[in-house]
Amino acid sequence: MKFKKSLVFIFVVAAVLVLSSGVMAQTYVVGTNASFPPFEYVEEGEIVGFDIELIKEIAKLQGFEVEVRDISFDSLIPGLASGSLDIVAAGMTITEKREEVVDFSEPYYSANQSVLVHEESDANLTVLFGNHDIGVQTGTTGDTWVRENLIQTDILTGEIRNYDSYVFVIRDLSNQNIDAAVLDKPVAETYSQNNPVQVVAEIITGEEYGIAVGEGNEELLAEINAGLEKVKNNGTMEKLIQKYFE
Ligand code: ARG
């Protein structure tokens, strides 16, 4: 009898624990811009990619849930500031300017910029000089690089064309509506696999991607860094790199 009672007690405690952990698991809203393959893109209506798997893995390891939202890239940082987003996982480069308004995790990927042109074009780096039209995604480091180095110096006398989505940059480049695009090299290379476009130059910018949270959200940042550390150490990071880049 005594044995039975303690058994019941253990079951009740276990049930309460299971239920409360289910109820208490935090859900964080993750913002991304899913036009950045292989980091984030839409496949059969679903947001997938390296960053999405990475943040889901971190969530699993640290015991929280995520809900991923696809919005324009230049709305991501304002979303963290306003509280409509908790986390940004978007191949976002850690920059000093962004550091002023959000907090970044430890870096998880390194990349440079690149110049993408039509596959039939014999252009090279000099497509960025003179009267050419260059496509960029609004608010990206590629956008800033073109403005600071080409527009403000009058090296580029054509137009800088701003887009919300890289899908439309690639479409306009494929249709030869623009002469070139400046974007992160791993993404340019991914697009060149399935579109009539080619990478003709690399611009060494030495960028590092980080996962961002709202300024001062130390608790969440610590969770993300702890998860990221585990992912780097338990072989998951290597598997993700193999899956998406090799
Ligand atoms: N790394 C560049 C930046 O931080 C481009 C990122 C674009 N990401 C995206 N998901 N569209 O500005």
Side-chain angles (χ1 to χ4, degrees):
M1 203 54 186
K2 220 177 177 189
F3 172 71
K4 248 191 189 166
K5 255 190 192 164
S6 56
L7 208 61
V8 167
F9 180 68
I10 288 169
F11 273 124
V12 169
V13 169
V16 167
L17 283 179
V18 167
L19 282 176
S20 63
S21 70
V23 170
M24 279 165 60
Q26 266 274 12
T27 298
Y28 292 117
V29 181
V30 177
T32 196
N33 172 259
S35 71
F36 203 60
F39 295 96
E40 41 268 341
Y41 52 101
V42 177
E43 195 174 74
E44 289 166 9
E46 250 192 272
I47 307 167
V48 296
F50 181 95
D51 287 340
I52 309 306
E53 277 198 56
L54 178 62
I55 194 64
K56 285 189 175 165
E57 193 59 32
I58 291 171
K60 198 170 87 190
L61 290 167
Q62 299 306 117
F64 60 85
E65 309 269 326
V66 292
E67 180 197 318
V68 182
R69 287 197 198 147
D70 182 16
I71 62 176
S72 70
F73 187 78
D74 65 343
S75 301
L76 293 170
I77 287 182
L80 286 179
S82 75
S84 64
L85 302 176
D86 299 301
I87 298 171
V88 166
M92 187 176 273
T93 303
I94 302 169
T95 68
E96 264 176 39
K97 188 139 183 269
R98 290 172 180 162
E99 287 269 29
E100 287 169 12
V101 286
V102 300
D103 289 338
F104 283 102
S105 70
E106 292 301 316
Y108 66 88
Y109 202 86
S110 308
N112 287 317
Q113 294 296 303
S114 66
V115 181
L116 194 64
V117 301
H118 193 271
E119 70 180 1
E120 277 152 25
S121 159
D122 51 17
N124 53 37
L125 186 67
T126 58
V127 70
L128 301 182
F129 308 164
N131 188 17
H132 295 111
D133 295 335
I134 313 295
V136 296
Q137 184 177 46
T138 303
T140 58
T141 48
D143 184 4
T144 308
W145 190 89
V146 170
R147 274 169 212 286
E148 289 180 355
N149 297 283
L150 304 177
I151 301 280
Q152 284 165 23
T153 53
D154 290 328
I155 289 175
L156 180 70
T157 53
E159 271 179 42
I160 179 168
R161 297 263 191 95
N162 279 85
Y163 297 82
D164 272 346
S165 169
Y166 280 119
V167 170
F168 300 129
V169 176
I170 301 305
R171 193 190 57 190
D172 268 5
L173 193 57
S174 301
N175 295 336
Q176 292 172 289
N177 288 332
I178 52 176
D179 299 299
V182 172
L183 71 161
D184 302 45
K185 187 159 173 261
V187 177
E189 268 166 356
T190 305
Y191 272 121
S192 72
Q193 289 164 13
N194 302 306
N195 296 276
V197 296
Q198 54 169 338
V199 176
V200 289
E202 179 165 9
I203 305 165
I204 310 294
T205 50
E207 295 172 49
E208 293 203 292
Y209 297 170
I211 297 168
V213 300
E215 167 104 282
N217 195 346
E218 281 167 31
E219 211 177 302
L220 181 55
L221 189 63
E223 290 289 331
I224 290 173
N225 276 328
L228 191 56
E229 178 81 15
K230 290 180 198 165
V231 166
K232 284 178 183 172
N233 292 332
N234 72 7
T236 307
M237 183 61 97
E238 226 178 271
K239 269 193 209 134
L240 285 181
I241 290 177
Q242 269 169 19
K243 172 167 175 187
Y244 288 100
F245 295 96
E246 281 155 28

